Amino acid sequence: MCGALMATVALGSRIPLWLRSHVAAVSNPPANVVAEPLDALLRGVEAAADSGATGDVAARCEAIVNGYPEHPVVEPALLRLVQARIRMADERGARAAFQMLRARFPHSRLLSEALVDMASWRYEQRDYHGAANAYTDLVALVTSADGSAAGEDTAPPPVIWRSKSLWNEHKRAERSRTELERLARFNQALSYENAGDRDSALRAFERFLSRFPQDACVPEARFRMAGLLLEEERSDEALAAYREVYEDPLAAVAFRCESLYRAGRQYEATRRFEEAIATLRLVLPLQPADNEFRLASLGELAPLLESRDPARALAIYRELALSNAAPSVRAVAAQRLATLEGTASVAAAPH
């Protein structure tokens, strides 16, 4: 499922290699600051990270920031400090480090990584509104023209590239930004949903579908929208969203089966039995046959078919009685099977 988009960037990431060359350029820290040599601090960060001593990672990163404030290595040190404070569950420290990174390096390519970490951490802490706000910031960051925070959906101006190598570099950067936007938009909607903010969640899912209509997470987005629409008693819109999921041959079977079950139940609840039957029948060919929502759908379908298509009803009850369905479903199926087979035997007996 696309909830896997919640994966957090590894907190133990290394100081980027592109900054290592700058270390040799520093001879001494500023005269008014007593600090360890920078190369010793960097080695200490790596050794502490390798040993899992997160507090030492934070302390050494702070020493780098305070002892070498003008050095380029401060930028990744602040990112590592954010990540270490997150691992230490130090919300105030993580927020302070992030704000310093953002203030000192407003165009940093590391800001997006820090925002992903902050948003994922808040989500894991069930601070869903905080997570949604962080993902909103990430969307603004990656959709701005210069990579800095801006209004959401700001598009970069057209650029004519004279160099093929520059163009290739630009396309790689755009792919990376697009992937971050995809992750941020889906997780923003998921955060609003978990926060109980249905209106914001629906708007966020709609923006995700508009921006990424071919994405693999589209069926899940539509499925979640359908559930939110049902909660708002917007039944026809919910049924349309479920239909888009179960009619999508590329959607995961789990989403197709559950969408059919929930749509069928909704048709039943509004006494639209013929539509319920037509919908629930669609689960019959789906595989794997033991999917729990496929079996639950069959449990709804069989009683509706008893008077309309008794032979099919009997076949469904036989399947359910021998399936891995819930014990209660199997018991009901076995009971109805015995009753219907007995009735059929009596009807077929000579008089």
Side-chain angles (χ1 to χ4, degrees):
M1 293 174 63
C2 290
L5 288 176
M6 296 303 305
T8 306
V9 175
L11 298 182
S13 56
R14 297 285 187 255
I15 298 293
L17 292 175
W18 60 276
L19 280 174
R20 292 233 177 237
S21 60
H22 292 283
V23 176
V26 173
S27 55
N28 295 299
N32 61 335
V33 176
V34 177
E36 290 184 64
L38 183 57
D39 58 348
L41 285 171
L42 287 170
R43 287 195 300 271
V45 169
E46 303 307 336
D50 289 341
S51 65
T54 308
D56 288 345
V57 171
R60 285 175 169 79
C61 286
E62 286 183 333
I64 291 170
V65 172
N66 295 327
Y68 299 88
E70 303 304 320
H71 194 277
V73 83
V74 167
E75 183 182 354
L78 281 169
L79 173 64
R80 292 292 288 274
L81 183 56
V82 171
Q83 295 170 329
R85 292 301 183 193
I86 288 174
R87 179 168 284 182
M88 296 165 68
D90 178 0
E91 181 175 1
R92 180 177 296 180
R95 187 183 297 116
F98 175 75
Q99 292 302 332
M100 185 180 294
L101 174 62
R102 192 169 205 168
R104 292 195 57 184
F105 304 97
H107 306 302
S108 172
R109 60 185 182 182
L110 303 182
L111 275 174
S112 57
E113 183 176 343
L115 274 171
V116 169
D117 284 341
M118 292 287 286
S120 299
W121 178 50
R122 285 175 173 165
Y123 188 93
E124 290 164 2
Q125 296 296 310
R126 301 189 179 185
D127 174 13
Y128 297 121
H129 281 298
N133 289 338
Y135 282 121
T136 299
D137 285 348
L138 182 57
V139 170
L141 181 72
V142 300
T143 57
S144 65
D146 58 3
S148 60
E152 195 171 325
D153 294 322
T154 301
V159 177
I160 298 174
W161 295 93
R162 298 174 182 273
S163 161
K164 189 173 187 301
S165 62
L166 282 177
W167 171 252
N168 289 338
E169 182 179 346
H170 167 71
K171 296 306 290 181
R172 283 194 298 272
E174 284 303 304
R175 282 195 294 272
S176 176
R177 285 158 65 98
T178 299
E179 176 61 19
L180 281 170
E181 183 189 353
R182 183 183 76 89
L183 176 148
R185 287 193 183 279
F186 186 88
N187 288 341
Q188 177 196 49
L190 200 63
S191 298
Y192 281 131
E193 180 185 355
N194 279 282
D197 187 345
R198 288 195 297 266
D199 290 342
S200 295
L202 284 167
R203 287 194 297 271
F205 278 126
E206 285 168 358
R207 287 193 294 267
F208 173 79
L209 292 174
S210 175
R211 285 286 292 121
F212 303 100
Q214 305 302 318
D215 191 80
C217 290
V218 162
E220 181 174 352
R222 286 180 173 145
F223 176 83
R224 290 182 177 278
M225 287 182 69
L228 293 167
L229 290 164
L230 273 184
E231 290 177 14
E232 295 199 338
E233 299 184 353
R234 295 159 64 180
S235 177
D236 288 341
E237 293 174 77
L239 288 168
Y242 281 133
R243 187 178 305 112
E244 287 190 274
V245 178
Y246 64 68
E247 289 183 349
D248 182 356
L250 299 180
V253 170
F255 285 120
R256 297 182 71 191
C257 288
E258 188 168 353
S259 293
L260 285 164
Y261 172 76
R262 303 219 177 268
R265 287 295 302 269
Q266 183 60 26
Y267 282 127
E268 286 186 88
T270 53
R271 305 189 65 78
R272 296 157 69 178
F273 296 116
E274 295 305 320
E275 289 168 286
I277 290 170
T279 299
L280 293 169
R281 277 182 183 272
L282 296 174
V283 304
L284 288 166
L286 294 182
Q287 295 293 327
D290 62 352
N291 176 276
E292 61 177 320
F293 282 101
R294 179 182 179 276
L295 296 174
S297 297
L298 294 181
E300 296 293 321
L301 176 61
L304 296 173
L305 291 178
E306 284 188 16
S307 61
R308 296 171 174 83
D309 188 350
R312 173 62 75 178
L314 274 170
I316 291 173
Y317 281 131
R318 289 192 187 98
E319 179 180 348
L320 288 173
L322 298 172
S323 71
N324 292 324
S328 59
V329 174
R330 292 203 309 271
V332 170
Q335 182 182 35
R336 293 304 300 153
L337 182 60
T339 300
L340 292 175
E341 287 180 332
T343 302
S345 298
V346 170
H351 296 284

